[in-house]
Amino acid sequence: MNLKGHSEKEVLSRLKNAMQKDTSYDKVMSAMCTQPHPIAVKAHMQFIASNMGDFGLFQGTKELEDKVIKMMGYMLGDGNACGYITTGGTESNIQALRTARNMSKKKRPNMIVPFSAHFSFDKIADLLGIEIRKASLDTEFKVDMDSVSDLIDSNTIALVGIAGSTEFGQIDPIDRLAKLALSNNLFLHVDAAFGGYVIPFLDKKYDFDFSVKGVTSITADPHKMGMSTIPAGGLLFREEACLLPLEIDTPYLTIRKQHSLVGTRSGAAVAAAYAVMTHLGTEGYKEIVKRCMKMTGRLVEGACDLGIDPLIEPAMNIVALDVPDLDDVRKKLRSRGWVTSLTRNPKAMRLIIMPHLTEDTIDSFISDLGECIHDNGGAGGSGCPILHCGEEAYPALK
Ligand SMILES: *Cc1c(COP(=O)(O)O)cnc(C)c1O
């Protein structure tokens, strides 16, 4: 650290320089976060000093948190669900599985997650000493139920289903997982970190939340499609009893017990989530999701015109495209400013159509994609996708 403090002007100018090296969201098609809603930013600034780690001091913010959890509960099929605002999907998943492990009291616990599960579950296996068993996927990248059944044994403590997988945006058959969980007396955690703020607002209905009997807990992140500020995740349990295994005595705080993983915790993120959810309402989120799905449809149609198939019909605003010469095309796109990402198996171009994108951006991306592929001799059609352009006409995107 410098001995004498720099002037505010100097510091702000350094910050400005640093920010110029950050990528602005305009051409980012790989991010699950987005520019937060302006009202979330305002609320965040207003509550910047609020610490939910000691919420006895911040009872106003605590009331906002209770209201956010209530709203999320209604959004996810049970207005009586309980929980708290975490730092994100990772903390929510850790805490859900920690509850499952502590409730089960098994000595050598294992959990069954789909191969499509987010890497946070590998962290969980390491942190919590739970063996991770990965169930295979079907041809549409949903978890294969036979594979899940085969992996269950007497040490299994939990099943995990994904509602909006990170790579494909696919939704596992949560109702079938729930039946299996109930018949084996297992905890069922649904990871809807991304999909939690998408699926409830789609025209097509899915059984993925607390309305499905057997779902024990759900992760849903305000800082992804919830349009709120970072760091805000949500962890919800159907039963209040699920919070008990997480409780710890906090002798030197104004509160007696705490169930969050982190200690000091952002009240700003809580206020932001409250602000944006009450400001947008169900109708506002529907509009946002509708717009993202329309852009997703436009992207898929544009890709099809170039002879590029999506691997599956997108269930939400995440698309995997079977682009030829993938690595090379991605590099070329990067030099034109586009940030794309990858799916692992099979390898494809992964694009997330977030609210910071526009129809014009989609059009210019498709045009650049066409040029980059043309440079490489055009799309040959590798025969890998299960869905070919024109076959299904993508009803979910209409
Ligand atoms: C993003 C994501 C996570 C992790 O969330 P963080 O907020 O990055 O910790 C977990 N699960 C799924 C399905 C995700 O998409």
Side-chain angles (χ1 to χ4, degrees), residues 317-329:
N317 47 330
I318 300 178
V319 180
L321 292 179
D322 180 35
V323 171
D325 299 317
L326 184 56
D327 295 332
D328 191 60
V329 168

Side-chain angles (χ1 to χ4, degrees), residues 37-192:
H37 192 287
I39 203 163
V41 178
K42 276 188 193 155
H44 195 105
M45 297 308 289
Q46 234 176 329
F47 283 76
I48 201 74
S50 166
N51 171 19
M52 294 302 280
D54 194 3
F55 56 76
L57 291 175
F58 302 96
Q59 297 206 12
T61 323
K62 178 69 181 117
E63 278 175 24
L64 295 181
E65 181 176 38
D66 293 342
K67 287 178 181 163
V68 172
I69 294 299
K70 189 112 202 136
M71 285 188 278
M72 290 184 77
Y74 273 111
M75 178 176 85
L76 298 170
D78 183 1
N80 291 319
C82 59
Y84 75 98
I85 297 299
T86 65
T87 51
T90 300
E91 180 182 341
S92 300
N93 289 343
I94 292 171
Q95 292 284 81
L97 270 299
R98 191 173 151 215
T99 291
R101 185 197 64 179
N102 293 358
M103 283 169 93
S104 89
K105 298 190 174 70
K106 286 195 174 133
K107 288 220 169 62
R108 309 180 63 153
N110 68 64
M111 61 180 163
I112 299 165
V113 311
F115 253 103
S116 51
H118 184 263
F119 52 76
S120 49
F121 290 96
D122 295 304
K123 298 183 188 179
I124 290 169
D126 185 37
L127 278 169
L128 298 180
I130 303 175
E131 180 199 338
I132 185 166
R133 299 184 171 183
K134 297 190 181 181
S136 54
L137 307 181
D138 67 14
T139 54
E140 289 187 293
F141 313 116
K142 295 178 192 175
V143 75
D144 181 81
M145 291 305 299
D146 290 336
S147 174
V148 176
S149 298
D150 289 348
L151 289 170
I152 295 176
D153 66 16
S154 60
N155 288 320
T156 302
I157 58 162
L159 306 182
V160 173
I162 317 290
S165 65
T166 311
E167 288 178 77
F168 296 100
Q170 188 56 286
I171 303 165
D172 285 329
I174 303 299
D175 47 349
R176 297 178 65 196
L177 284 169
K179 281 202 188 87
L180 194 59
L182 284 172
S183 62
N184 288 278
N185 198 20
L186 295 172
F187 193 103
L188 173 59
H189 177 62
V190 174
D191 183 358

Side-chain angles (χ1 to χ4, degrees), residues 306 308 323-325 329 368-379:
L306 297 172
I308 299 168
V323 171
D325 299 317
V329 168
D368 279 354
L369 178 64
E371 286 178 25
C372 294
I373 286 172
H374 188 75
D375 280 356
N376 284 356

